[in-house]
Protein backbone atom coordinates (compact mmCIF):
# COMPACT_ATOMS: atom_id res chain seq x y z
CA UNK A 1 0.00 0.00 0.00
CA UNK A 2 1.32 3.39 -1.00
CA UNK A 3 1.33 5.94 1.82
CA UNK A 4 -0.33 9.30 1.21
CA UNK A 5 2.04 12.26 1.61
CA UNK A 6 -0.21 14.94 3.04
CA UNK A 7 1.02 18.52 3.32
CA UNK A 8 1.64 19.70 6.88
CA UNK A 9 1.09 22.90 8.84
CA UNK A 10 3.00 22.67 12.10
CA UNK A 11 2.04 19.37 13.70
CA UNK A 12 -1.11 19.01 11.56
CA UNK A 13 -1.46 17.01 8.36
CA UNK A 14 -3.89 18.33 5.73
CA UNK A 15 -6.13 15.78 4.01
CA UNK A 16 -6.85 17.95 0.97
CA UNK A 17 -9.16 15.46 -0.76
CA UNK A 18 -11.42 15.07 2.29
CA UNK A 19 -11.38 18.83 2.92
CA UNK A 20 -12.43 19.53 -0.68
CA UNK A 21 -15.15 16.87 -0.54
CA UNK A 22 -16.67 18.62 2.48
CA UNK A 23 -15.98 22.29 1.75
CA UNK A 24 -16.46 22.75 -1.98
CA UNK A 25 -20.14 21.68 -2.13
CA UNK A 26 -20.88 24.16 0.68
CA UNK A 27 -19.25 26.99 -1.29
CA UNK A 28 -21.68 26.72 -4.20
CA UNK A 29 -23.62 29.96 -4.67
CA UNK A 30 -27.33 29.13 -4.65
CA UNK A 31 -30.40 31.32 -4.84
CA UNK A 32 -31.63 30.28 -1.38
CA UNK A 33 -28.31 30.94 0.41
CA UNK A 34 -28.49 34.03 2.63
CA UNK A 35 -25.08 33.94 4.31
CA UNK A 36 -21.76 32.13 3.97
CA UNK A 37 -19.68 31.39 7.08
CA UNK A 38 -16.10 30.26 6.41
CA UNK A 39 -13.79 29.28 9.26
CA UNK A 40 -11.10 29.83 8.09
CA UNK A 41 -9.17 30.99 5.02
CA UNK A 42 -5.60 30.22 6.07
CA UNK A 43 -2.48 28.29 5.18
CA UNK A 44 -4.03 24.86 5.79
CA UNK A 45 -7.07 25.52 3.59
CA UNK A 46 -4.99 27.03 0.80
CA UNK A 47 -3.27 23.70 0.14
CA UNK A 48 -6.43 23.08 -1.90
CA UNK A 49 -6.05 24.68 -5.33
CA UNK A 50 -9.86 24.72 -5.67
CA UNK A 51 -10.77 26.31 -2.34
CA UNK A 52 -9.66 29.92 -2.86
CA UNK A 53 -11.28 30.26 -6.33
CA UNK A 54 -14.52 28.99 -4.72
CA UNK A 55 -14.19 31.60 -1.96
CA UNK A 56 -13.67 34.32 -4.58
CA UNK A 57 -16.83 33.20 -6.44
CA UNK A 58 -18.74 33.50 -3.16
CA UNK A 59 -17.34 37.02 -2.60
CA UNK A 60 -18.21 38.10 -6.12
CA UNK A 61 -21.78 36.78 -5.68
CA UNK A 62 -22.54 39.69 -3.31
CA UNK A 63 -23.95 37.26 -0.75
CA UNK A 64 -22.90 38.25 2.78
CA UNK A 65 -19.80 36.36 3.97
CA UNK A 66 -18.42 36.00 7.49
CA UNK A 67 -14.93 34.53 7.26
CA UNK A 68 -12.03 34.17 9.64
CA UNK A 69 -8.47 34.80 8.53
CA UNK A 70 -5.21 34.35 10.43
CA UNK A 71 -3.22 37.18 11.96
CA UNK A 72 -0.18 37.70 9.71
CA UNK A 73 3.01 36.00 10.85
CA UNK A 74 5.98 38.38 11.01
CA UNK A 75 3.74 41.13 9.60
CA UNK A 76 3.27 39.40 6.25
CA UNK A 77 -0.10 38.19 5.03
CA UNK A 78 -0.51 35.11 2.88
CA UNK A 79 -1.17 36.64 -0.60
CA UNK A 80 -4.64 35.04 -0.90
CA UNK A 81 -5.58 36.31 2.57
CA UNK A 82 -4.40 39.80 1.61
CA UNK A 83 -6.72 39.67 -1.42
CA UNK A 84 -9.66 38.96 0.88
CA UNK A 85 -8.71 41.73 3.33
CA UNK A 86 -8.35 44.22 0.48
CA UNK A 87 -11.58 43.20 -1.30
CA UNK A 88 -13.70 46.35 -1.86
CA UNK A 89 -16.63 45.03 0.19
CA UNK A 90 -14.56 43.67 3.07
CA UNK A 91 -14.63 44.94 6.63
CA UNK A 92 -11.85 43.53 8.81
CA UNK A 93 -12.36 43.11 12.54
CA UNK A 94 -9.34 42.26 14.68
CA UNK A 95 -10.43 39.98 17.51
CA UNK A 96 -8.61 39.39 20.77
CA UNK A 97 -9.63 37.48 23.86
CA UNK A 98 -10.38 40.81 25.56
CA UNK A 99 -12.53 42.39 22.80
CA UNK A 100 -14.24 39.40 21.21
CA UNK A 101 -17.46 39.63 23.24
CA UNK A 102 -17.91 43.32 22.46
CA UNK A 103 -17.02 42.78 18.79
CA UNK A 104 -19.65 40.06 18.49
CA UNK A 105 -22.47 42.63 18.70
CA UNK A 106 -20.82 44.92 16.16
CA UNK A 107 -20.27 42.06 13.69
CA UNK A 108 -23.82 40.74 14.19
CA UNK A 109 -25.39 44.14 13.56
CA UNK A 110 -23.35 44.65 10.39
CA UNK A 111 -24.35 41.22 9.09
CA UNK A 112 -27.99 41.81 10.05
CA UNK A 113 -28.03 45.00 7.96
CA UNK A 114 -26.82 43.01 4.93
CA UNK A 115 -29.40 40.26 5.39
CA UNK A 116 -32.42 42.57 5.08
Amino acid sequence: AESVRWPTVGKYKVDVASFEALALPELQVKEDTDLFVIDEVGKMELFSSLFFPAVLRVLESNKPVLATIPVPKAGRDIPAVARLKNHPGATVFSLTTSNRDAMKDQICSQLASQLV
Side-chain angles (χ1 to χ4, degrees):
E2 188 178 318
S3 67
V4 177
R5 295 189 63 79
W6 288 338
T8 59
V9 176
K11 64 181 180 177
Y12 299 100
K13 292 186 179 345
V14 183
D15 180 349
V16 175
S18 294
F19 168 70
E20 289 179 345
L22 288 169
L24 295 177
E26 299 300 325
L27 290 172
Q28 299 301 311
V29 177
K30 300 182 183 118
E31 193 61 41
D32 62 349
T33 302
D34 296 320
L35 170 69
F36 283 91
V37 178
I38 306 170
D39 182 25
E40 83 178 310
V41 182
K43 188 172 182 181
M44 216 179 270
E45 294 76 15
L46 293 171
F47 277 115
S48 162
S49 61
L50 302 175
F51 175 70
F52 190 67
V55 171
L56 286 180
R57 282 193 297 276
V58 167
L59 277 179
E60 297 304 324
S61 75
N62 292 320
K63 301 271 187 183
V65 179
L66 174 63
T68 61
I69 55 174
V71 173
K73 297 272 191 271
R76 286 202 319 264
D77 267 320
I78 299 165
V81 172
R83 281 184 70 186
L84 294 184
K85 283 173 65 172
N86 296 323
H87 192 273
T91 304
V92 178
F93 299 94
S94 295
L95 299 182
T96 64
T97 51
S98 58
N99 79 356
R100 65 184 177 200
D101 292 334
M103 295 299 289
K104 178 184 69 174
D105 293 336
Q106 191 177 342
I107 293 167
C108 284
S109 65
Q110 181 160 336
L111 280 174
S113 71
Q114 294 178 5
L115 290 170
V116 180

